[in-house]
Amino acid sequence: MSAISTNQTRNGWHGLRHTLAFHNISAVYIWIAMVILFSILVPETFPTVDTVRIVLADQALTAILAIGLVLPLAAGAFDLSIGSQLGLAAIVVAWMLSVQDLGVWISILGTLVVGVAVGLINGLLIVKAKISSFITTLGMSSIILAGISWISHDAQILDLGTDFQQIATHPILGVPLSVYVMLVLAACVWYLLDNTHLGRAVYATGGNTEAARLAGVRTEVVVVACLVSCSLLAAVAGILLSSSLATGDPTIGPGYMLPAFAAAFLGSTQFRNGRFNVLGTVVAVYVLATGVKGLQLAGAPVWIPELFNGVALLVAVAVNRRQGSARRARSARAATPVAAERAA
């Protein structure tokens, strides 16, 4: 065997070991362990096809929301209004369908336009008015909740029609259409972030905004585009939510924010060593959902989901910060010899 072949084999094994290392895909190992544990604890109800279908369908909207959240987080911005935006889209599409009788596709299009408008306002307030993303989106969340109350009169909007309901619930191979929508959106955002110049610009903006700007990245445009895209995906999730419930509910949006943030931060600790990414986020959504579902089937109290997601968020943020610090330290060490050589 030649030296080149030996080095290639060694590099291949090293890459495989890194890919399968616990610190790189710890959520996958935890997921497997939970499946085994709950299959032993509740063998009658947990390891069944019905449970898998329920978890897939129930978490599709959370996954869409978390995927949307990856974009502004990767660009260094927070969107705390994302749950309220989902609730706004759910109410607006129901209002257009039931109260205004505008038809399914016009109502969906109008709702998507509303979502884009909210994201654009958030983005412009951040980059032009120089208000922090945290404060901007927190204030926007309150404004949106007031708008939801005004549109719905704090009451459910009914009679959305069977055609609209089929959009989210129509089964393909026994799995609701909303799951396939989530997978398509995940693939699109993954490709954008990992395989395009725009994706590199997003990560550069989130890593060091000033350095990215000096390198020629239009950081303000990147931030606005990420917030608009996030709002658009929140609107899609809201439309699918009203479709699956066959009603517009003014109270359900904010409850989706914490699970989405927990999944996005937990996902950042997987595969990309502290970087927000789509694959890790989708895996994290279903890891958290598996844990919650298993505990519920085992007879845990009703407050377990809130506790589970809250603890997961705190742990994920801590690990994300640690991985980010380690990555920056490695970059600094790698840059030191180059700087010394140039100085010499």
Side-chain angles (χ1 to χ4, degrees):
M1 184 180 291
S2 66
I4 294 177
S5 298
T6 303
N7 288 335
Q8 289 176 341
T9 302
R10 186 181 298 114
N11 290 336
W13 278 110
H14 177 75
L16 181 61
R17 287 177 59 189
H18 173 73
T19 300
L20 298 178
F22 183 81
H23 67 82
N24 190 52
I25 57 170
S26 57
V28 175
Y29 293 118
I30 293 171
W31 197 0
I32 294 171
M34 286 194 300
V35 170
I36 294 172
L37 174 63
F38 290 123
S39 296
I40 295 172
L41 293 177
V42 279
E44 299 85 4
T45 54
F46 183 81
T48 65
V49 174
D50 287 341
T51 298
V52 172
R53 288 174 177 169
I54 290 170
V55 171
L56 280 173
D58 287 350
Q59 298 303 312
L61 304 187
T62 300
I64 292 173
L65 210 61
I67 291 164
L69 197 56
V70 166
L71 290 163
L73 288 174
F78 282 83
D79 191 349
L80 298 179
S81 65
I82 190 167
S84 300
Q85 290 183 52
L86 180 150
L88 177 65
I91 282 297
V92 167
V93 73
W95 177 77
M96 288 183 173
L97 276 168
S98 182
V99 179
Q100 300 299 316
D101 196 23
L102 293 178
V104 172
W105 297 113
I106 293 178
S107 299
I108 290 174
L109 180 61
T111 303
L112 294 177
V113 170
V114 170
V116 168
V118 172
L120 184 61
I121 293 171
N122 276 338
L124 292 177
L125 286 173
I126 292 168
V127 303
K128 297 301 183 183
K130 304 301 180 184
I131 306 173
S132 74
S133 60
F134 189 93
I135 298 299
T136 296
T137 56
L138 184 62
M140 181 60 70
S141 179
S142 182
I143 294 171
I144 290 172
L145 290 176
I148 292 173
S149 179
W150 174 62
I151 293 171
S152 67
H153 303 290
D154 295 318
Q156 291 185 340
I157 300 177
L158 308 175
D159 300 324
L160 305 187
T162 55
D163 290 342
F164 178 68
Q165 187 176 0
Q166 287 294 311
I167 292 174
T169 61
H170 178 70
I172 300 177
L173 300 177
V175 178
L177 189 58
S178 58
V179 176
Y180 295 97
V181 173
M182 180 272 291
L183 292 174
V184 170
L185 292 174
C188 291
V189 177
W190 166 81
Y191 183 83
L192 183 148
L193 285 177
D194 285 20
N195 297 280
T196 67
H197 175 72
L198 178 58
R200 291 188 289 273
V202 170
Y203 282 124
T205 300
N208 189 321
T209 303
E210 185 60 22
R213 186 185 64 81
L214 293 174
V217 176
R218 300 176 65 184
T219 55
E220 291 188 349
V221 173
V222 168
V223 171
V224 173
C226 286
L227 285 161
V228 169
S229 300
C230 179
S231 297
L232 182 61
L233 291 186
V236 172
I239 291 167
L240 293 174
L241 179 60
S242 283
S243 174
S244 62
L245 297 176
T247 184
D249 191 327
T251 65
I252 54 178
Y256 280 84
M257 185 187 73
L258 181 60
F261 266 95
F265 273 94
L266 179 58
S268 72
T269 68
Q270 307 298 304
F271 307 113
R272 297 298 297 274
N273 194 28
R275 281 191 172 186
F276 295 98
N277 65 93
V278 173
L279 178 58
T281 297
V282 174
V283 169
V285 167
Y286 286 102
V287 169
L288 295 172
T290 300
V292 170
K293 190 65 175 178
L295 289 169
Q296 288 175 335
L297 292 175
V302 294
W303 42 262
I304 279 295
E306 296 295 336
L307 175 65
F308 201 83
N309 288 322
V311 171
L313 177 60
L314 293 175
V315 172
V317 170
V319 174
N320 173 271
R321 297 306 185 201
R322 183 176 179 180
Q323 290 182 338
S325 298
R327 187 176 66 249
R328 287 190 293 270
R330 287 194 298 270
S331 299
R333 286 195 299 269
T336 299
V338 176
E341 182 180 342
R342 289 177 177 175

